Amino acid sequence: MKRIIGNTIQASALVALILVSSQAIAGNSGLSFTTGLDYSSGKYGGTQSTDITYIPLTGKYETGRWIFQLTVPYVRITGPGNVTQGGIVLRSGRTTRTTESGLGDIVAGATYNAYAGNGPDPLLIDLTGKVKFGTADEKKGLGTGSNDYAAQVDMYKGMGQFTALGTVGYKVFGNAPGLKLDNVLYGSVGGVYKISQQTSGGLILDLRQKVISTGASQRDVTAFISHKINQDWKAQVYAVNGFSNASPDWGAGAMLTRIF
């Protein structure tokens, strides 16, 4: 039986943390590269856990009102074979746990700052389009083998040391062999508090509709701390707690960014 689960952290909160508008949080410009290690584990309504290691390399280039991103990931999945990176079940589960690894799905995105208010705490509105290329090996259960498309609106509002943020988006799934996936609305809401000139911390709640009628909606919370080591380097650590069968039971990770 094929079934659908929710996005793992690397498809939701991790991407949100990497792509959070630097205009709202850090004020960066130019080129930057981010890498790190993400680990998540969950049963997704089953009896055995699936453990996913996700190692991305993300390049980001900012020019004027535009931000361009490209993420190339390595994925390693250990489990009964019914959960793939990206949260889609490709085949029936097995009784024996196995491990598969390789190139994950490459994600490209472009963001345009459509509105930037005036004053010390302006409202910022970004428009983003993303394409997930089906580069992960579907025979290994690392992906669907199809391209997916998403469009979203991101909003940021400063209030002194605190920045509120929210996202509303729509995802269109490609035609994956043997799978019928419903297009979905997704979103997130959260905030970032500036603890000091170098350190910020925050929470993000991720939500997403069911991908199939018999599945579950995604609900998980990410807590994170970001520290600016110096002008060239920034580090982040985070932890995730899932609240539905469409989310991992837990996850954690760390990222390091080099700014040029």
Side-chain angles (χ1 to χ4, degrees), residues 3-5 7 87-88 148-149 170-176 179-186 208-216:
R3 62 187 178 85
I4 307 299
I5 61 159
N7 289 348
I88 298 175
D148 302 334
Y149 307 90
Y170 188 74
K171 185 170 185 177
V172 176
F173 287 94
N175 295 321
L179 293 173
K180 185 181 183 303
L181 311 180
D182 294 331
N183 302 331
V184 296
L185 287 168
Y186 64 89
R208 196 206 59 195
Q209 290 181 313
K210 300 176 182 179
V211 177
I212 59 172
S213 59
T214 56

Side-chain angles (χ1 to χ4, degrees), residues 49-71:
S49 65
T50 294
D51 306 323
I52 302 177
T53 301
Y54 184 84
I55 302 174
L57 176 61
T58 296
K60 180 172 68 172
Y61 180 71
E62 302 180 40
T63 176
R65 290 177 174 264
W66 287 93
I67 302 175
F68 301 95
Q69 304 98 190
L70 182 69
T71 298

Side-chain angles (χ1 to χ4, degrees), residues 15-127:
V15 175
L17 292 178
I18 292 175
L19 302 184
V20 159
S21 172
S22 59
Q23 293 172 308
I25 306 300
N28 298 327
S29 61
L31 181 66
S32 65
F33 288 98
T34 297
T35 189
L37 175 65
D38 173 83
Y39 182 84
S40 64
S41 180
K43 293 184 177 178
Y44 303 100
T47 58
Q48 297 188 65
S49 65
T50 294
D51 306 323
I52 302 177
T53 301
Y54 184 84
I55 302 174
L57 176 61
T58 296
K60 180 172 68 172
Y61 180 71
E62 302 180 40
T63 176
R65 290 177 174 264
W66 287 93
I67 302 175
F68 301 95
Q69 304 98 190
L70 182 69
T71 298
V72 181
Y74 167 84
V75 180
R76 185 175 187 269
I77 302 177
T78 299
N82 64 333
V83 178
T84 178
Q85 186 271 322
I88 298 175
V89 174
L90 298 178
R91 56 183 182 268
S92 299
R94 300 181 295 265
T95 57
T96 303
R97 287 166 58 84
T98 60
T99 298
E100 299 285 358
S101 62
L103 176 67
D105 289 324
I106 295 174
V107 180
T111 297
Y112 179 72
N113 177 232
Y115 178 80
N118 299 316
D121 295 319
L123 171 67
L124 302 176
I125 300 177
D126 288 348
L127 305 178

Side-chain angles (χ1 to χ4, degrees), residues 118-224:
N118 299 316
D121 295 319
L123 171 67
L124 302 176
I125 300 177
D126 288 348
L127 305 178
T128 297
K130 293 185 288 184
V131 179
K132 186 223 76 176
F133 298 100
T135 51
D137 191 340
E138 69 272 21
K139 294 180 181 179
K140 291 183 177 181
L142 300 178
T144 65
S146 65
N147 298 344
D148 302 334
Y149 307 90
Q152 66 187 55
V153 179
D154 300 294
M155 293 162 284
Y156 312 87
K157 180 64 174 77
M159 292 171 280
Q161 300 296 100
F162 180 77
T163 298
L165 55 92
T167 295
V168 177
Y170 188 74
K171 185 170 185 177
V172 176
F173 287 94
N175 295 321
L179 293 173
K180 185 181 183 303
L181 311 180
D182 294 331
N183 302 331
V184 296
L185 287 168
Y186 64 89
S188 63
V189 63
V192 181
Y193 183 78
K194 191 172 183 180
I195 301 169
S196 68
Q197 285 296 111
Q198 292 77 32
T199 305
S200 299
L203 290 171
I204 296 176
L205 170 65
D206 280 306
L207 303 169
R208 196 206 59 195
Q209 290 181 313
K210 300 176 182 179
V211 177
I212 59 172
S213 59
T214 56
S217 300
Q218 175 193 353
R219 299 191 307 275
D220 50 63
V221 171
T222 301
F224 64 92

